[in-house]
Amino acid sequence: MKNIREVIFFIIIIFINSIAFSATIEFDINTRNVCIYDKVEITIKDTFQAKNNYDYSMINVKGYFKIGEDILKEIDGFYIKNYQITETGDISEKGTSEFKIRFTPDKVGKWSYKIKVFSGKNLVAETKWQTFYCNKNDRNYGFIRISRNDDLFMEFDNKKPFYAIGLNLCWSTGNVLKDYERWLSEL
């Protein structure tokens, strides 16, 4: 008798949880045509009403990307609040909060993607498969990796060498964000 009560209680909890989190996914993609190694960014409107959007056990947004049928990449989404920086360097909230999925295609062709939202291990919402196209671009060399020929050097995916050149930025004049904006714009 005790086991039956526990099972009924468990089923009720799952039912309540699925009602509380049932939602449709409202999203937008930044482009339907992208060059290889460029960023695809999917913005998902926060309509899920989780208690804590930063807690993956409460709400978890994932993107699934494939080209053809043999490659499937699972990308975790993340929750982000938008901020703006004032002239004095203060930070304040701006606009709405949302989930984002960022992905970089590494092959040319027609890519398909879908979004799934989970509450714990339970699937809450799912989109249909959508598509975008990835085009060739000789300007994008790919990701940087340790060279396969000499592990003292780095190279891009297309085997071109990568030489890290930059500034050592150390001391601020008091407003760190403004200092970095000025220093980086002068590179």
Side-chain angles (χ1 to χ4, degrees):
M1 189 70 160
K2 185 178 178 183
N3 289 339
I4 293 173
R5 283 189 205 149
E6 289 176 359
V7 169
I8 291 172
F9 178 75
F10 182 72
I11 291 170
I12 291 170
I13 294 298
I14 289 175
F15 179 73
I16 291 170
N17 195 23
S18 66
I19 290 172
F21 284 107
S22 64
T24 58
I25 301 175
E26 297 178 39
F27 70 96
D28 188 35
I29 187 168
N30 67 329
T31 183
R32 296 272 179 212
N33 267 317
V34 66
C35 291
I36 191 167
Y37 300 117
D38 278 348
K39 177 177 69 175
V40 173
E41 183 173 87
I42 302 171
T43 302
I44 300 109
K45 188 174 179 183
D46 178 18
T47 58
F48 309 111
Q49 300 176 352
K51 287 184 181 177
N52 182 353
N53 288 332
Y54 295 105
D55 185 347
Y56 278 70
S57 68
M58 290 187 172
I59 189 81
N60 192 354
V61 176
K62 291 182 177 279
Y64 297 86
F65 297 83
K66 67 180 182 176
I67 183 166
E69 295 300 321
D70 54 328
I71 298 173
L72 181 66
K73 298 182 180 194
E74 179 181 307
I75 307 294
D76 284 323
F78 58 93
Y79 185 66
I80 185 169
K81 289 187 176 186
N82 295 312
Y83 293 93
Q84 64 184 7
I85 302 170
T86 64
E87 289 298 318
T88 60
D90 293 330
I91 299 174
S92 63
E93 255 187 73
K94 174 186 174 187
T96 60
S97 302
E98 56 211 7
F99 291 90
K100 290 197 181 271
I101 298 170
R102 291 185 179 146
F103 175 71
T104 302
D106 56 355
K107 292 191 178 0
V108 172
K110 180 180 175 183
W111 282 83
S112 299
Y113 70 95
K114 78 167 25 181
I115 304 164
K116 292 184 180 182
V117 179
F118 297 89
S119 173
K121 295 186 187 278
N122 300 322
L123 180 63
V124 175
E126 178 177 2
T127 65
K128 294 179 180 177
W129 286 101
Q130 308 288 323
T131 59
F132 66 88
Y133 296 90
C134 180
N135 305 304
K136 186 175 185 203
N137 186 343
D138 293 331
R139 290 182 301 112
N140 296 344
Y141 302 148
F143 296 108
I144 300 169
R145 306 184 190 288
I146 295 174
S147 172
R148 294 176 189 127
N149 297 328
D150 187 343
D151 60 4
L152 294 177
F153 296 96
M154 300 186 84
E155 66 185 13
F156 291 96
D157 280 339
N158 70 352
K159 309 284 188 275
K160 287 192 177 196
F162 170 76
Y163 301 105
I165 300 172
L167 298 176
N168 183 4
L169 307 175
C170 307
W171 293 276
S172 170
T173 60
N175 188 332
V176 177
L177 294 172
K178 290 296 176 186
D179 287 340
Y180 275 103
E181 279 181 2
R182 186 182 77 250
W183 292 333
L184 295 176
S185 69
E186 295 173 2
L187 286 178

